[in-house]
Amino acid sequence: MSTVSIQPSESTYTNKRIDSEKFSLPMRDWLYSLGFLLSYSLFSLHFPLGYLLVPVFLINSFVKNRYDFVIQVFLICGRFGFYDANSYPFKFDDILLIVSILCIFLLRKDSVLKKSFWLVLLYIVILVGFAMLSEESLAIQFRMMRRYIAIVSLFFPLVCFANKVFDIRTFYKRITGYALIICLFYIVDCAIFNGWVLLPGLPIYGPPSGSVYDHLICYPFSMIFPRKYPYGVYLLTFMIIPIARRYFRLTICQWVIILLAVLSTRTMSFMGGLIITYVIMIGQGKQILKYGVFAIIFISALYLVDGAAGGKLRVQSTVNQFIALNEARDEEDLSEFGTGRMAQIIPKMDVLIEDGRLMTGFGFLHPELTTISKYVIYNPLYIDTSKAEEVVTGVEVTQVQTVLDIGLLGLLIQTAFYIGLYFIIRPLRYSEYYLSVLIAVSIFGIGGFAGLCQSDGVMMVALSYSVVLLSNRKKYNTDEKQKTAL
């Protein structure tokens, strides 16, 4: 069995800032990451060569570079805008879930890992308990509940790096390389292809694109500049701590690439999540004030530019929604807030309260498979009446979705669980890495992205937790390694 032994932190290194160096990677690493991501795009477009190349890359990475292997596995299982969840007869995140459960039995656990394991187990037992209170069958509920229990994927990287040295600085650089290339994919898809080629799984204002190699949805150089949802650039979340703690600094060109990719998402909750988390992680009053003033000026400028551009950046519409919210007179006015998100929420919360399930939720209802008549409603607040008949689940605000699933009590337990995980690793070096990802994912969830009830968001949090545990091992990460890692 593999050994993972965690050592306590030494305050000298916990929040230590060092002289930052310019971010760079060897050309072979850039080309390798690019090769995998292009193969992943082919795979997502259902091009036969992609089915061959992706496994070849995974096998090679497992043999030669576990950093790449772990990142690639999480990219595939989390989808991150490359393909739609229904594109294949099985779900890759389910495979990771099963493998991660098996990994638990392969690990020899020290005190920190034992506490983590028992807390995760308790959380899953509680989720099952909530499910048993529901009128829906457990078989149907598990299809939705598995998104919550994706946290067990934290055990997968621990086994992957069994008997291997883990250098957190190397991880930072490798995942930053992947993130920057995906940002380039966003720019190319948005500004050049004007479609869905490199990231074919990104939605077209709601439904998946359906772009495949023999029927590409793209209009090259047509100046359409379609909105690109932020699933792929979630990886920027893993760069917040390295940049905030000045472990490396990006070049102007790299910042421009990130800025253009983020702007192409036109998603304020995502942009806000990155900025707010970064400011929190800086942890210095003067810096927070400086970046706060900069953010106000930048958003004000974007508001004016967006107005001149006809609202394509969606900044003006977002601000105007808050103004309209203050003037809302009735339920219909309120339903328009959050790009119609309140129209999703209001009728479902009404049923939740009327049914006396505000504290425990409906259970993990499935938007398509649940057929219990009392939980199928007609939603009069939708503009599109063809979608008015629906199950009382499936809202974009992930915190509200959690309340619908497991109630206010469940939301409190979920929050306590993730905070509990933080307090387990708080004495360890780099524990703030987990905290930064947790905060960002939670903020994204307000806009319906990632969140703690979606597989991709939970897997991101799980990966950050694994990184903290791996960077604190005694046996394979020597003190000298740790001192030079950052």
Side-chain angles (χ1 to χ4, degrees), residues 246-289:
R246 301 176 185 172
Y247 298 146
F248 55 70
R249 54 186 171 84
L250 301 178
T251 64
I252 294 177
C253 179
Q254 290 164 350
W255 275 117
V256 169
I257 290 171
I258 291 173
L259 179 62
L260 291 176
V262 170
L263 288 177
S264 73
T265 69
R266 305 177 203 171
T267 306
M268 294 302 294
S269 59
F270 174 70
M271 299 179 196
L274 291 177
I275 294 171
I276 292 171
T277 305
Y278 176 74
V279 171
I280 291 173
M281 290 295 104
I282 289 175
Q284 293 184 355
K286 289 183 179 180
Q287 289 284 75
I288 291 174
L289 181 61

Side-chain angles (χ1 to χ4, degrees), residues 15-293:
N15 294 312
K16 181 181 178 182
R17 294 175 182 264
I18 63 171
D19 293 333
S20 58
E21 60 180 21
K22 184 184 296 185
F23 173 78
S24 64
L25 285 173
M27 182 56 65
R28 65 178 181 275
D29 289 345
W30 284 115
L31 293 176
Y32 188 79
S33 300
L34 177 62
F36 168 77
L37 290 172
L38 287 174
S39 300
Y40 190 14
S41 295
L42 292 176
F43 175 89
S44 303
L45 289 168
H46 299 277
F47 189 70
L49 183 61
Y51 297 147
L52 173 64
L53 289 177
V54 167
V56 168
F57 270 99
L58 287 173
I59 293 171
N60 184 72
S61 297
F62 181 79
V63 173
K64 296 184 177 180
N65 192 318
R66 297 292 173 86
Y67 300 97
D68 283 296
F69 177 73
V70 168
I71 294 169
Q72 290 167 5
V73 167
F74 274 77
L75 280 172
I76 292 172
C77 295
R79 297 184 297 278
F80 294 98
F82 279 86
Y83 65 92
D84 177 61
N86 299 317
S87 297
Y88 299 94
F90 55 87
K91 291 181 169 54
F92 292 98
D93 49 336
D94 286 345
I95 297 176
L96 179 60
L97 180 64
I98 295 170
V99 172
S100 298
I101 292 173
L102 295 176
C103 286
I104 295 173
F105 300 100
L106 298 176
L107 290 168
R108 184 178 302 152
K109 306 168 189 67
D110 70 344
S111 61
V112 174
L113 202 51
K114 282 180 180 178
K115 291 176 183 177
S116 302
F117 165 73
W118 287 115
L119 187 57
V120 169
L121 180 61
L122 177 62
Y123 180 57
I124 294 174
V125 169
I126 292 174
L127 291 176
V128 173
F130 278 111
M132 294 179 69
L133 296 175
S134 174
E135 297 179 31
E136 185 58 275
S137 68
L138 288 176
I140 290 179
Q141 288 190 75
F142 182 75
R143 293 171 179 261
M144 306 304 292
M145 184 171 62
R146 61 189 176 184
R147 300 179 179 184
Y148 287 78
I149 64 178
I151 189 65
V152 300
S153 58
L154 71 89
F155 298 105
F156 177 73
L158 301 180
V159 171
C160 289
F161 277 92
N163 306 327
K164 300 284 184 179
V165 172
F166 182 86
D167 183 345
I168 196 170
R169 185 176 186 178
T170 301
F171 176 82
Y172 285 162
K173 287 191 170 184
R174 298 303 295 132
I175 201 163
T176 297
Y178 280 91
L180 289 173
I181 293 173
I182 292 176
C183 284
L184 278 174
F185 281 15
Y186 265 72
I187 296 169
V188 173
D189 256 4
C190 180
I192 298 177
F193 289 139
N194 284 260
W196 290 261
V197 178
L198 296 175
L199 291 130
L202 291 177
I204 300 178
Y205 298 104
S209 71
S211 188
V212 292
Y213 77 94
D214 57 350
H215 182 67
L216 294 176
I217 300 178
C218 66
Y219 311 91
F221 302 104
S222 61
M223 307 296 286
I224 297 175
F225 305 121
R227 179 188 179 188
K228 314 302 292 183
Y229 282 73
Y231 307 131
V233 284
Y234 285 168
L235 261 65
L236 293 175
T237 307
F238 294 100
M239 297 168 53
I240 292 174
I241 282 295
I243 294 174
R245 291 288 176 260
R246 301 176 185 172
Y247 298 146
F248 55 70
R249 54 186 171 84
L250 301 178
T251 64
I252 294 177
C253 179
Q254 290 164 350
W255 275 117
V256 169
I257 290 171
I258 291 173
L259 179 62
L260 291 176
V262 170
L263 288 177
S264 73
T265 69
R266 305 177 203 171
T267 306
M268 294 302 294
S269 59
F270 174 70
M271 299 179 196
L274 291 177
I275 294 171
I276 292 171
T277 305
Y278 176 74
V279 171
I280 291 173
M281 290 295 104
I282 289 175
Q284 293 184 355
K286 289 183 179 180
Q287 289 284 75
I288 291 174
L289 181 61
K290 181 179 74 174
Y291 285 106
V293 172

